[in-house]
Every structure is written in structure tokens, then in C-alpha cells.
Amino acid sequence: SFRGFEFGGTFLQEKGRFARDDLDAYGYHLMASYTFQAACKPRLAVEYSYASGDSNPNDGDHETFQGAFGARCKMYGRMNLFHWRNLKDLEANLQIKPFKWLHVKGELHKFQLAERKDAWYLNQKLYRDSTGCSGDDVGKEFDIVITCNLFPQNTFTTGFGHFWPDEFAEKTASHKQANWFFFQWEYTFSTKLL
């Protein structure tokens, strides 16, 4: 970080064999943020996640990135509609901390397929158009997560998400919008060693 600016990146590559195919796939994540010198410490960030897809499932090359470490929603939406596979995700997010005990984060995502002929891996058997005619725009998602540490040893977290389908989702899955909500209470036990 430098004077409020922060930059980060991750790159992973997969090579070898995948069944009878040659495996050559990759994924990366980029982030740039700026934290304003204000009372609530607003932090504005732009992030981009990419995972390669398979342009031709019959050419003997497997190019779909498999994701890493079981990660699901750390970088690409909170609603668990996407895997880090055949994905392009452009994200803008804003975090504020109005009090020491309160943290709020809002995220806006635009999801696309990296390869039109590969699948949306929410359901790879159903949500696939091998012709590529359904386009690559899957949808947009807005998430907000609020974390509260008002009481010692207690952390309360709640969140809301909304998904708007775009052309690919409408043609292969559904035109319906989706909502998501969660509430979590975490209690930390303290033990004293004698």
C-alpha cells in the first residue's frame, strides 16, 4: 500500500493431463483500492477475476480452469452462483467503518463467460450452449454485508444479495431475478489456562 492506495494480484496456472486431454488452464485476480482519509474510513476498490474456459471440448485440450483451494465466494459474488471456472467478473466495491464495532461492504459484479461454448458452472450440464449463440453475458449481482462487533465475544453478520440475469442466463437458465439473505451469529469462547 502507498498513501492510501493498495494493489494486489494472484495468478494460477494448471498444466498436465485431464483424463485423455492435455490440461492448459489459468486464472487470475487483480485488485486496486484507495482508502480515503475520512472518519468512516471509506475504501473504494475495483477488482477483476478471470478463469479460462474451454473453447472446443473436442480438440484434445482441456482449458477450463478448475479453481483453487475450494474457494467459492471470496472474489466473485456472495450468492454462490459462480465458480472460478470459465468466468470474467468485473467488481466494484465500497467498504465503510462508521464505528469501531460496525463494518459495511457493498459489492457490484458484472459476470461474463470467458468462452461462450463452455458452461456456466452453476450447472454445467444444463447451462451450456455449445454453439455459442447465447452470448457471454450471464448477469449482474449486488451484495451488501454488515458485520457488527458491539458486544464482546459476539459477532453478528447479515447480508443481502440480488441477481439480474443477462442474455446467457435468460436463454439457458431463467429470466427470473434472484434474492439472497443470511444472518450469522458467532460466539467466541474464551478459556483461561491455569
Side-chain angles (χ1 to χ4, degrees):
S1 62
F2 176 73
R3 295 186 179 180
F5 288 97
E6 185 178 354
F7 303 94
T10 300
F11 177 84
L12 297 108
Q13 187 168 22
E14 299 169 337
K15 282 190 171 290
R17 298 288 293 171
F18 187 89
R20 297 180 180 177
D21 293 343
D22 291 322
L23 174 62
D24 188 6
Y26 64 98
Y28 61 85
H29 176 79
L30 303 172
M31 182 278 298
S33 71
Y34 180 74
T35 302
F36 296 87
Q37 299 302 313
C40 61
K41 299 180 181 177
R43 178 181 181 268
L44 182 63
V46 176
E47 303 186 38
Y48 185 74
S49 297
Y50 179 88
S52 62
D54 200 341
S55 58
N56 183 350
N58 302 312
D59 63 358
D61 294 323
H62 185 85
E63 301 164 308
T64 303
F65 185 67
Q66 298 298 312
F69 317 121
R72 183 70 186 242
C73 63
K74 170 87 174 151
M75 300 178 292
Y76 30 91
R78 298 281 183 155
M79 294 177 68
N80 291 331
L81 298 176
F82 294 87
H83 296 270
W84 200 11
R85 302 177 73 181
N86 191 36
L87 177 68
K88 294 190 285 187
D89 170 24
L90 179 61
E91 172 191 353
N93 63 65
L94 176 65
Q95 300 180 58
I96 59 171
K97 196 168 184 180
F99 306 101
K100 289 183 178 180
W101 49 269
L102 183 64
H103 179 267
V104 181
K105 182 178 183 183
E107 305 174 3
L108 183 61
H109 298 261
K110 178 173 175 53
F111 297 108
Q112 294 179 294
L113 301 179
E115 293 289 344
R116 292 181 178 209
K117 294 182 180 180
D118 202 345
W120 172 17
Y121 281 87
L122 177 63
N123 186 326
Q124 67 190 52
K125 292 183 179 179
L126 292 178
Y127 305 155
R128 178 188 297 265
D129 181 355
S130 58
T131 69
C133 294
S134 295
D136 61 0
D137 288 322
V138 185
K140 293 173 281 294
E141 180 179 327
F142 171 75
D143 302 306
I144 186 164
V145 176
I146 302 169
T147 304
C148 175
N149 296 99
L150 186 57
F151 306 107
Q153 300 175 265
N154 290 271
T155 302
F156 299 96
T157 307
T158 188
F160 171 79
H162 185 84
F163 178 75
W164 295 269
D166 282 333
E167 182 183 16
F168 183 87
E170 290 176 344
K171 288 183 177 179
T172 63
S174 174
H175 66 279
K176 292 182 179 178
Q177 298 181 20
N179 292 301
W180 162 86
F181 174 79
F182 83 94
F183 177 80
Q184 173 183 300
W185 173 26
E186 179 183 347
Y187 181 80
T188 304
F189 293 91
S190 64
T191 58
K192 295 182 179 178
L193 298 176
L194 300 176

